[in-house]
Amino acid sequence: ETVAWLAGERGMRGLFGYMAVSNGLYTGFSPILIAFFRTTPGLSAAMYAFYSVAEFVGRTIGSTIQYKVRVPRERRFGLCFLVYVVYDVMDACLLWLPYPLMLANRATVGFLGANSLVLRESAMQRYIPERMRSRVNAFSGIYIAAACCLFSLLVGALGEVLDLRLCVTLCGLTGIAASLLFIWHRRGDVRRVFEAAG
C-alpha cells in the first residue's frame, strides 16, 4: 500500500531518495573520519571527540533557534535546498581544512542540519495522509537503513583504495549531485510537500 501511494508522489520520492543517499553517505564516511583522525600526524582520537562535540553544539543551537523562529511556509523549500547543498559542500571540503576550521565546519553543519531536519520532517508529516502515516514512516525507516548498509559497504571499499580525504570529498560531491537530482530536478513536486497545509 505504501509503495502504491508513493508511486503517485514524485515529491515524496524525491525527498526519500535524497534522505537515503545523504544518510547513507554520512553513515559510510563516519568510520573514515575516525581513521583519518587516528592516522594523520597532528590529529588524534581526542581531537575527533572535540570535533564531534562541535557538531553536537551546532545541532543544539540550531534546534533551539528552530523552535523560536517561524520560517514562512513558502520559504521552507528554498531554505532546505540551500542547506542541503551547503551541507554537502562542507562535507566535500572537510578534511582539507586546518583543525580549527574543521570544528567551525561541523558546528555550522550541525546548526544547519538541525534546522532543515525539523522543517522537512514537519512538512512530510503534514503532507502524508493520516491513514498512511505509520506505514510510510515504517517504510522510510527500512528504506534508509538499507541505504545506510549499502553505502557503508561502498564507501568502506572506496576508503580501501583511495586517499581518505579524497574519499570524503567524493561523498560530498555525490551528495550535491543527489540534491540536484532528487530535490532541485523535482522542485515543483517537492515544494508542494513543504507548502502543504496542516
Side-chain angles (χ1 to χ4, degrees):
E1 189 176 2
T2 300
V3 171
W5 181 77
L6 286 171
E9 295 292 340
R10 193 166 181 260
M12 287 293 293
R13 291 198 316 272
L15 285 166
F16 274 19
Y18 177 75
M19 287 163 49
V21 173
S22 178
N23 284 286
L25 289 169
Y26 187 79
T27 301
F29 75 65
S30 289
I32 288 176
L33 295 178
I34 298 169
F36 181 80
F37 272 85
R38 294 188 67 177
T39 60
T40 302
L43 297 177
S44 67
M47 293 171 82
Y48 177 76
F50 284 116
Y51 162 96
S52 299
V53 168
E55 186 167 354
F56 172 76
V57 169
R59 285 190 183 279
T60 302
I61 294 170
S63 297
T64 302
I65 289 175
Q66 178 62 41
Y67 285 107
K68 294 188 176 296
V69 176
R70 186 182 180 281
V71 179
R73 198 166 285 179
E74 64 275 8
R75 293 189 180 172
R76 292 176 186 174
F77 166 79
L79 177 63
C80 283
F81 177 71
L82 176 64
V83 167
Y84 298 155
V85 173
V86 170
Y87 201 106
D88 292 322
V89 168
M90 298 287 253
D91 284 347
C93 68
L94 174 64
L95 297 187
W96 304 95
L97 300 172
Y99 183 67
L101 290 181
M102 282 187 191
L103 296 179
N105 179 307
R106 285 302 97 175
T108 303
V109 161
F111 176 83
L112 294 174
N115 281 281
S116 67
L117 172 69
V118 171
L119 291 174
R120 183 187 68 237
E121 288 302 316
S122 62
M124 289 173 67
Q125 296 312 310
R126 268 195 320 271
Y127 185 82
I128 300 169
E130 188 174 346
R131 66 179 183 81
M132 292 295 300
R133 202 166 289 148
S134 61
R135 293 177 180 88
V136 173
N137 289 335
F139 177 84
S140 172
I142 294 168
Y143 179 70
I144 290 172
C148 288
C149 290
L150 176 63
F151 276 95
S152 290
L153 271 172
L154 295 175
V155 177
L158 201 60
E160 290 290 322
V161 296
L162 289 180
D163 177 85
L164 298 181
R165 291 180 300 177
L166 184 57
C167 187
V168 173
T169 296
L170 288 174
C171 287
L173 295 175
T174 302
I176 294 169
S179 67
L180 294 172
L181 176 66
F182 290 113
I183 305 296
W184 185 251
H185 181 65
R186 304 170 184 224
R187 58 192 175 276
D189 299 291
V190 176
R191 189 186 297 276
R192 274 194 289 277
V193 175
F194 277 97
E195 295 180 358

